[in-house]
């Protein structure tokens, strides 16, 4: 066996242990109270020096732990310890805000933009309305415990919900606004989702790098 082959095997063995070594390091610091959920991990450089392994192997290990949901990252900010898992079923007729609160977290929202548009044929077909119908469009950033988790883009028939833009600026569930202000109880009619790669402005709003894996969800509701 050549020296290059021995070096290659050593790299593979090293890589297979790095994720567990990082996980153990995080668990130890969490047990000591030095690292809490949503707390920032040491930098890649510090982890590399501490573990005595190649920086690329540390980076690949962090990617693996991210894929497992153990840690997460913000673009140009670093890596963080994930909080306890949050469970959300978009097929159920519960507002996101209610589900967050029921699981002991704080829900938040920030309006990114508002406007209006005329429904084209594609959107009209999805909503079951006439093409040319005026729609209110509201783009909001949703949070769990101050962490941005998804961008919500709502297309609402303008005539059914006058002054919705003013009401959407409040930090409450739109489902609550529909029910309280317009007497509309939302019921899911269609749900469609697929994996995607996040691009700007969505990636930037979520503080993630362009191309970060994400999930596109289209939820059509009646009321």
């Amino acid at each position: 066996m050549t020296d290059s082959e021995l070096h290659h095997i050593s790299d593979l063995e090293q890589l297979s242990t790095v994720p567990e070594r990082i996980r153990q390091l995080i668990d130890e610091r969490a047990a000591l109270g030095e690292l809490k959920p949503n707390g920032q991990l040491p930098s890649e450089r510090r982890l590399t020096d501490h573990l005595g392994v190649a920086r690329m192997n540390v980076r690949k290990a962090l990617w693996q732990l991210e894929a497992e949901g153990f840690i997460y990252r913000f673009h140009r900010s670093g890596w963080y310890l994930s909080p306890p898992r949050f469970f959300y079923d978009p097929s159920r007729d519960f507002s996101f805000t209610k589900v967050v609160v029921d699981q002991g977290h704080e829900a938040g929202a920030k309006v990114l933009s508002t406007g209006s548009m005329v429904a084209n044929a594609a959107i009209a077909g999805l909503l079951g309305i006439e093409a040319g119908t005026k729609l209110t469009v509201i783009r909001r950033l949703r949070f769990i415990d101050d962490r941005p988790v998804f961008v919500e883009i709502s297309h609402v028939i303008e005539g059914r919900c006058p002054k919705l833009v003013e009401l959407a600026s409040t930090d409450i569930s739109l489902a609550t606004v529909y029910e309280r202000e317009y007497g509309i109880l939302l019921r899911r009619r269609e749900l469609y989702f697929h994996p995607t790669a996040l691009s700007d402005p969505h990636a930037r709003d979520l503080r993630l790098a362009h191309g970060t894996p994400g999930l596109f969800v289209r939820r059509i509701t009646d009321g």
Side-chain angles (χ1 to χ4, degrees):
M1 184 176 290
T2 65
D3 289 342
S4 61
E5 288 172 330
L6 284 170
H7 180 69
H8 178 64
I9 291 174
S10 176
D11 282 347
L12 291 177
E13 290 175 346
Q14 182 187 81
L15 182 59
S16 66
T17 63
V18 174
E20 290 308 313
R21 292 174 66 187
I22 294 177
R23 188 191 299 272
Q24 181 180 9
L25 176 64
I26 292 173
D27 287 341
E28 289 174 353
R29 293 200 172 188
L32 294 172
E34 298 176 356
L35 183 63
K36 299 184 182 299
N38 297 311
Q40 189 169 13
L41 273 61
S43 67
E44 291 183 11
R45 182 187 297 275
R46 289 183 61 190
L47 287 172
T48 298
D49 293 341
H50 179 80
L51 298 174
V53 298
R55 185 165 183 174
M56 180 52 67
N57 286 357
V58 168
R59 185 167 297 173
K60 289 179 179 179
L62 292 170
W63 291 343
Q64 178 179 324
L65 294 175
E66 179 187 31
E68 295 172 3
F70 187 66
I71 60 175
Y72 66 93
R73 57 179 162 166
F74 282 138
H75 188 42
R76 301 185 185 279
S77 176
W79 294 91
Y80 298 80
L81 177 61
S82 295
R85 288 185 182 274
F86 169 74
F87 297 93
Y88 177 55
D89 182 356
S91 69
R92 303 188 67 185
D93 292 319
F94 293 120
S95 75
F96 171 76
T97 299
K98 182 180 186 306
V99 175
V100 172
V101 173
D102 286 349
Q103 294 185 42
H105 299 281
E106 181 179 350
K110 175 185 176 182
V111 176
L112 299 174
S113 64
T114 62
S116 61
M117 65 174 291
V118 174
N120 57 30
I123 293 179
L126 291 171
L127 297 179
I129 59 177
E130 294 289 333
T133 300
K134 290 185 178 180
L135 302 174
T136 297
V137 183
I138 301 173
R139 186 167 166 268
R140 302 201 305 171
L141 185 62
R142 302 307 311 269
F143 298 86
I144 299 178
D145 298 331
D146 294 324
R147 175 187 172 188
V149 290
F150 68 87
V151 176
E152 168 192 85
I153 305 176
S154 301
H155 295 76
V156 185
I157 299 173
E158 191 173 286
R160 294 200 63 191
C161 302
K163 299 183 179 180
L164 177 61
V165 169
E166 299 173 16
L167 298 169
S169 63
T170 58
D171 189 16
I172 61 175
S173 164
L174 283 183
T176 300
V177 172
Y178 296 139
E179 181 177 357
R180 186 180 65 191
E181 301 294 333
Y182 307 106
I184 297 175
L185 292 174
L186 297 181
R187 294 291 181 269
R188 178 183 56 83
R189 176 162 61 85
E190 179 182 324
L191 182 67
Y192 170 80
F193 55 90
H194 64 77
T196 186
L198 298 175
S199 59
D200 289 332
H202 303 320
R204 182 177 62 247
D205 293 331
L206 293 166
R207 295 172 59 191
L208 299 174
H210 180 91
T212 298
L215 185 67
F216 171 86
V217 179
R218 182 172 65 210
R219 192 170 186 260
I220 300 176
T221 55
D222 291 325

